[in-house]
Amino acid sequence: MSAEASVYPVPEFASSTTHISSEQYKTMYQQSIKKPDVFWAKQAQIIDWVKPFKTVKDTSFKKEDFRIKWFADGTLNVCANCVDRHLPHNKDKIAFIFEGNEPGNVRHISYEELYHHVCRFANVLKKHGVKKGNVVTLYMPMIPEAIYAMLACARIGAIHSVVFGGFSASALAGRLDDCGSKIVITADGAQRGPKTIPLKETVDLALTKTKKATVQKVITIKHTGAGCHMKEDQDVWYHEEARQVQDECAYEEMGAEDPLFILYTSGSTGTPKGVLHTSGGYLTYAALTHKYVFDYHENDIYWCTADVGWITGHSYVVYGPLANGATSVIFEGVPTYPDAARFWQVIDDHKVSIFYTAPTAIRSLMSKGDDYVTRTNRSSLRVLGSVGEPLNPEAWHWYYNLVGRSTCPIVDTWWQTETGGILLTPLPGAMSLKPGSVARPFFGIQPALLNKEGKEIRGAGTGSLVIKESWPGQMRGVYQDQDRFFKTYFDTFKGYYSSEDGARRDKEGYYWITGRMDDIINVSGHRIGTAEVEAAINNHPQVAESAVIGIPHPIKGEALFAFVILKMGADVKAVFDADLLQLIGRNIGSFAKPETIVIVPGLPKTRSGKIMRRILRKIALGKTNEIGDTSTLSEPRIVNKISELVLAAQ
Ligand code: 7RM
């Protein structure tokens, strides 16, 4: 049976209790497309406005009159929406359950406490001269103070730029130079499983590498207790500063289109782009998607495992859940520490009902065996989510059957740093699920598939995934480079937002992400998504993970090359070639059988867990001298190991 043939209809109990039923989805979706102004004017009431907006949507993707503005004449404060407005009714409600790296290190933070922490932080920033429109860089562990700092920026109208705590000093320096940050907020160190990472030391090193020397102050949080070298006039301890200020701070009234944050993301070419998001539209979209996609209700305990260094952390750890007044778990550690049961243990400990994580984590835990899961209970779970990469059907079934005890809908959510929030996803209670598919568009999203000539494909088909009309959460620019914004996203296909992803639409209108457009491989005229082949390979019981790339082939045009990681203790001989090839033949077709399969101990991944196929392509072609900088990989040494194995296999 082909893995995608399975369909999971909406269970009876779900449709009667969720916010949105199938019928409501259809009606609301139609309205959101036909009358976007009416629809968004109403939905934007999910947040509080200081001055109500009169105009709703003012957007065009055409070069002549290119503009993206939402609710432009309205004013609000994002921090006040996430914190202050919950105080009258919910001041004692828990905003965050902090689960530290070490089991047992747990802190509960109520909305009232959050308010005072944020105000104090805002006052410290003000004391150091931070003003509306200034950029503040955060280089932080996943601790509550990271969130206080983000909200403090939003409160006083400063723009935060969070750099993931796993990035190197050079990467941090490049980002500091690009945005001209005057202030850096960091911590003495971060704890990730058995490792301690010296953040402040890395900031010190980064400051020796910056070209523009814009940074004047480094504010350091005491967290691990590691000693830090404190430079006079530059370095201050947060706890000493905090003692000198009040815990009340009025918020700035901001325009809906005032910048909220920038977040650097790598594109296919050039240096990382500072993706700019603004206030009103972004918050509306983050809050609305958080409510409907996860079917969030007041008493849920919500846990998104993302780090605040990524967009998922911004929209679905901080802004969406807080705007909705949710109680969230935030987790400092890693899924495998002290052992591979940690996620499931934390779910039991805090009675988590909504759990949102990444396929890379799911697959890695899957490879450790089922016992880690089955020794826990997980009966509090109601909705499961996935983001960041295709969730292959084998991992989907494991997540669904084992983790979710076959009772929790899985929302496989497709979106990007650029989109601000989720665009394609099932809604629990409204849509049947197809393992491997990201289902349908969220309200207001008009996806289209374009062929090579840039023409829209009707009905079932495969093509470039583009979006036809603006939505409130969309990025508003590349920081200080508006030309690059237009060129990167709106020039390839005139009049559309180009996602650079490929997708297939089946005859029921469900979307299947086939991978980045450069990951579509054409073998003898067959369009093959690397994700599809990987899904087939991963179906093998002894396979933990795989990555498939295309390399030029004299007869077929392109040929597939597969890198496969086996589960611990797997029998290499039994898995190799014949077995795997058969499986691919069965799942997709003989045309999708890779020319080469190499068993490897690991894959080159970015720190957020994305496989760097560009590097694999160079390795497969024997062009290791062209790989270039590998410092952004989580394990740079893996590149040499794989190269050796590929050479040996040829
Ligand atoms: C949220 C995030 C964006 C890229 C995107 C895709 C891939 C994300 C899915 C997915 C298949 C998914 N932002 N991607 N979600 N592919 N299924 N559900 O990850 O900017 O870091 O990455 O990630 O290729 O373009 S991101």
Side-chain angles (χ1 to χ4, degrees), residues 213-369:
T214 56
V215 175
Q216 292 162 2
K217 279 275 175 287
V218 177
I219 303 174
T220 304
I221 316 278
K222 207 181 204 46
H223 174 57
T224 60
C228 294
H229 172 72
M230 300 298 273
K231 203 167 155 187
E232 241 199 325
D233 298 331
Q234 177 193 284
D235 292 338
V236 294
W237 284 107
Y238 177 72
H239 60 273
E240 288 173 7
E241 296 299 302
R243 277 202 290 265
Q244 302 167 34
V245 298
Q246 302 295 311
D247 63 1
E248 298 277 349
C249 169
Y251 58 78
E252 282 285 326
E253 181 176 346
M254 305 293 288
E257 286 298 343
D258 282 339
L260 177 63
F261 66 83
I262 49 187
L263 184 59
Y264 287 89
T265 187
S266 38
S268 39
T269 53
T271 48
K273 300 177 280 258
V275 169
L276 175 77
H277 282 285
T278 58
S279 303
Y282 171 81
L283 191 66
T284 300
Y285 199 75
L288 202 73
T289 46
H290 174 259
K291 176 173 170 184
Y292 290 139
V293 173
F294 302 106
D295 189 48
Y296 166 75
H297 285 75
E298 213 180 340
N299 294 324
D300 276 310
I301 306 288
Y302 166 87
W303 183 17
C304 167
T305 65
D307 189 281
V308 289
W310 310 113
I311 190 68
T312 308
H314 284 59
S315 301
Y316 300 112
V317 174
V318 181
Y319 292 112
L322 287 179
N324 290 330
T327 298
S328 300
V329 172
I330 51 170
F331 177 45
E332 179 186 15
V334 296
T336 47
Y337 179 82
D339 64 28
R342 186 68 186 275
F343 272 3
W344 326 127
Q345 194 59 57
V346 171
I347 288 172
D348 280 358
D349 288 352
H350 304 304
K351 303 279 173 290
V352 171
S353 54
I354 304 171
F355 180 66
Y356 190 32
T357 194
T360 184
I362 298 169
R363 285 194 296 263
S364 126
L365 294 175
M366 190 167 80
S367 78
K368 303 278 195 274

Side-chain angles (χ1 to χ4, degrees), residues 305-560:
T305 65
D307 189 281
V308 289
W310 310 113
I311 190 68
T312 308
H314 284 59
S315 301
Y316 300 112
V317 174
V318 181
Y319 292 112
L322 287 179
N324 290 330
T327 298
S328 300
V329 172
I330 51 170
F331 177 45
E332 179 186 15
V334 296
T336 47
Y337 179 82
D339 64 28
R342 186 68 186 275
F343 272 3
W344 326 127
Q345 194 59 57
V346 171
I347 288 172
D348 280 358
D349 288 352
H350 304 304
K351 303 279 173 290
V352 171
S353 54
I354 304 171
F355 180 66
Y356 190 32
T357 194
T360 184
I362 298 169
R363 285 194 296 263
S364 126
L365 294 175
M366 190 167 80
S367 78
K368 303 278 195 274
D370 295 357
D371 293 353
Y372 290 108
V373 188
T374 50
R375 73 155 97 127
T376 62
N377 180 285
R378 302 167 326 288
S379 58
S380 53
L381 287 173
R382 195 168 65 77
V383 175
L384 296 173
S386 171
V387 59
E389 289 169 84
L391 180 60
N392 52 296
E394 197 210 354
W396 194 100
H397 282 105
W398 186 81
Y399 197 29
Y400 185 82
N401 291 321
L402 204 68
V403 176
R405 304 155 49 125
S406 312
T407 56
C408 307
I410 294 178
V411 289
D412 182 350
T413 63
W414 176 83
W415 59 295
Q416 308 175 299
T417 305
E418 292 89 337
T419 69
I422 295 162
L423 300 195
L424 298 176
T425 178
L427 294 185
M431 290 173 206
S432 44
L433 307 169
K434 299 188 187 188
S437 167
V438 295
R440 295 183 190 279
F442 189 74
F443 304 129
I445 304 304
Q446 298 188 51
L449 300 178
L450 305 185
N451 65 18
K452 277 221 175 65
E453 286 73 49
K455 291 263 164 336
E456 277 187 38
I457 296 164
R458 307 272 160 208
T462 304
S464 298
L465 175 59
V466 299
I467 312 292
K468 290 161 78 159
E469 273 291 334
S470 182
W471 63 99
Q474 181 170 30
M475 75 186 275
R476 299 298 198 268
V478 173
Y479 194 63
Q480 286 172 340
D481 196 347
Q482 217 48 21
D483 266 4
R484 188 167 171 197
F485 179 43
F486 187 86
K487 279 207 196 86
T488 312
Y489 302 103
F490 304 94
D491 224 15
T492 328
F493 301 112
K494 306 273 181 282
Y496 299 94
Y497 166 79
S498 167
S499 74
E500 299 298 305
D501 274 342
R504 179 165 71 78
R505 190 169 47 220
D506 67 21
K507 53 185 193 307
E508 282 163 334
Y510 270 52
Y511 286 84
W512 305 72
I513 304 297
T514 49
R516 298 295 288 194
M517 274 316 273
D518 37 17
D519 296 331
I520 292 275
I521 298 164
N522 195 323
V523 182
S524 307
H526 298 281
R527 284 182 75 118
I528 303 172
T530 50
E532 286 174 69
V533 184
E534 286 161 15
I537 295 175
N538 296 350
N539 258 326
H540 194 289
Q542 308 252 56
V543 169
E545 196 171 8
S546 62
V548 171
I549 54 156
I551 55 167
H553 186 278
I555 295 160
K556 302 174 176 177
E558 281 183 284
L560 299 172

Side-chain angles (χ1 to χ4, degrees), residues 598-624:
V598 182
I599 309 284
V600 293
L603 291 165
K605 287 187 181 174
T606 63
R607 291 167 204 270
S608 65
K610 288 199 200 344
I611 299 166
M612 295 287 285
R613 290 193 170 68
R614 185 178 59 78
I615 291 179
L616 289 176
R617 242 173 259 128
K618 294 286 181 205
I619 295 177
L621 295 171
K623 296 183 180 169
T624 36

